[in-house]
Amino acid sequence: MTTPWYNAERVQQSGSVVLKRWNAERQAKRVAATSDKTIPISEGVRGSELYDWMTGGLSSAGVTVTERSAMSISTVFACVGLIGGSIASMPFHIYRRTDDGRDRVDSPLWWLLNEEPWPTMPAAVFWEYLITSLLLQGDGFAKIHRKNSRSPDIKGFEALHPTWVVPVADGDQLLYIVNRPSTEQEIVHQDDMLHVPGIGFDGRRGMSVLRHALQSSGGVALAADRYSAAFFKNGARPDFVLQSDKDVSAANVDLIRETWSQRHQGIDNSHLPAILTGGLKVAPITLNSEDAQLLSTRQYSVEDLARVFGVPTFMVGHHEKSSSWGSGLEQQSIGFVKFTLGRHLVKIQQEVNRKCFRTATYFGEFQTAGLERGDIKSRYESHRIGLGRAGEPGWLTVNEVRRMENMPPIDGGNTLLKGTPDASTSATSDQQPADSTAV
């Protein structure tokens, strides 16, 4: 029998059999090299990864701070939701650099970055998930899925939980070991992974906010919340005592305490009248200083946690102190975008540009104008100045202004007003030039 000219293994699968076999052996060696690493028990000191794993992230307040418990704090939930939601609401546009500036271009990536990066996740949820991972775990990961191994075309971005991803150094590059639940382990090259690290990036990972900033302030907030819940849950809290002139046996003491607890414990029973017999009298006990300062402790936790995320307290419902960012909505919004969102937006934009475009010609950018818009009166006043007010030269066309307000262009709206010779730079007149075009 003659040997067939084709290879049965080769025709049963796509791609190169030799290349796939070599890649599988290479990945197996890398996985073995990373899995063989052990950590001696003697290195399990406070602040190490082993200590955090053994204690479950136990804070100095004696409370475990995890992703789930941290998000149960209203201030943390509000800060993470505010930052993530703000970034998720921004459009991400694609541009081409030109000699005189830039032009907005149509790109297949626009749909992925603004509508549906992955079949199971819309873009707003994708960005919010990435920012939540960045704010709490210190890193945001998303695998870049390409059409095939040799194509630069991207077909989707898959968000990954930070606990699934282990970055390892491979010379001057990074490889990412991905351990999805109930799936085989996968190794992803750095060119196929969006990795947005937080503060303190050490070449592999950013510093986890849960393990660092929230270990103290988050633990105190959780302890205060639990103490408050227990304080109000127990309607029979010891802010009074029952006195009797007669001797009461231990059995009767337990019976009186149990009966009182059953009839008066809880919010629903807290205002029921008490009936005392057998010579019992009520003697009130004032709250100690720790209980009296509970409210102020919780208020300070709001300021402390908001400081961790760089969010002004008035944006999370804490209005006791005035903002130093200005009195108007426009000034406050601009400050929030500039000082809080800006540090995250720049890192995301640079990561997308260097992984998806890899060229200086094209780039993507978040549009923050929607969050920086002031009240309608201030916007219209700035539009009038840009168009050219009282004969002054304009630097905006009518169609450019209409585009800012999400309105369609009009015929003749692309003309830039040059102003009149007798126009004064200090003019304050509200009159438009006679030959101007109305918005």
Side-chain angles (χ1 to χ4, degrees), residues 160-175:
L160 303 173
H161 196 277
T163 58
W164 301 351
V165 185
V166 180
V168 293
D170 183 26
D172 58 350
Q173 296 182 335
L174 284 177
L175 297 177

Side-chain angles (χ1 to χ4, degrees), residues 162-430:
T163 58
W164 301 351
V165 185
V166 180
V168 293
D170 183 26
D172 58 350
Q173 296 182 335
L174 284 177
L175 297 177
Y176 297 89
I177 303 176
V178 181
N179 298 282
R180 298 181 184 84
S182 305
T183 60
E184 295 183 359
Q185 190 177 74
E186 178 185 11
I187 295 182
V188 181
H189 191 269
Q190 68 173 16
D191 291 342
D192 294 326
M193 179 72 75
L194 291 180
H195 179 192
V196 184
I199 298 174
F201 180 63
D202 61 359
R204 294 189 304 167
R205 301 198 78 116
M207 296 176 64
S208 170
V209 178
L210 294 175
R211 289 181 51 201
H212 295 86
L214 292 184
Q215 278 295 292
S216 178
S217 54
V220 171
L222 282 172
D225 285 349
R226 294 181 182 180
Y227 181 84
S228 300
F231 187 84
F232 291 107
K233 178 181 178 181
N234 183 16
R237 58 188 181 276
D239 52 1
F240 60 88
V241 295
L242 298 178
Q243 296 179 338
S244 176
D245 297 334
K246 302 177 181 180
D247 293 334
V248 182
S249 64
N252 287 335
V253 168
D254 293 336
L255 178 61
I256 292 172
R257 182 183 293 112
E258 182 179 356
T259 303
W260 184 276
S261 177
Q262 291 176 354
R263 294 186 180 183
H264 301 285
Q265 186 177 22
I267 297 177
D268 295 337
N269 300 326
S270 60
H271 298 290
L272 293 179
I275 301 176
L276 304 178
T277 60
L280 292 176
K281 299 179 182 178
V282 177
I285 299 178
T286 58
L287 293 176
N288 56 41
S289 58
E290 294 180 357
D291 293 337
Q293 293 178 359
L294 176 61
L295 182 60
S296 61
T297 299
R298 300 191 68 189
Q299 289 177 344
Y300 174 76
S301 294
V302 174
E303 301 174 10
D304 198 26
L305 293 172
R307 187 183 301 112
V308 169
F309 295 100
V311 175
T313 56
F314 69 90
M315 284 192 166
V316 293
H318 191 76
H319 303 287
E320 288 198 358
K321 294 184 178 180
S322 60
S323 171
S324 58
W325 286 6
S327 57
L329 177 62
E330 183 178 7
Q331 287 78 16
Q332 296 172 3
S333 299
I334 293 175
F336 176 66
V337 173
K338 181 184 297 184
F339 300 114
T340 302
L341 301 185
R343 58 183 179 178
H344 304 301
L345 297 178
V346 171
K347 287 188 287 189
I348 295 175
Q349 291 168 179
Q350 291 181 350
E351 183 70 0
V352 171
N353 292 337
R354 77 189 192 102
K355 298 292 180 65
C356 298
F357 299 108
R358 306 188 67 84
T359 175
T361 304
Y362 295 93
F363 66 97
E365 186 176 87
F366 282 104
Q367 296 301 301
T368 62
L371 295 181
E372 295 174 333
R373 297 173 67 178
D375 59 272
I376 189 169
K377 180 179 179 181
S378 300
R379 291 207 322 272
Y380 286 2
E381 183 68 20
S382 65
H383 292 340
R384 295 173 61 208
I385 296 174
L387 288 169
R389 182 180 60 175
E392 299 173 358
W395 50 274
L396 285 175
T397 65
V398 171
N399 282 341
E400 287 175 334
V401 172
R402 292 177 66 86
R403 190 181 301 116
M404 295 178 189
E405 297 295 331
N406 295 320
M407 300 172 67
I410 61 174
D411 294 336
N414 294 323
T415 302
L416 189 65
L417 299 179
K418 298 181 179 180
T420 58
D422 58 344
S424 173
T425 57
S426 61
T428 59
S429 173
D430 291 337

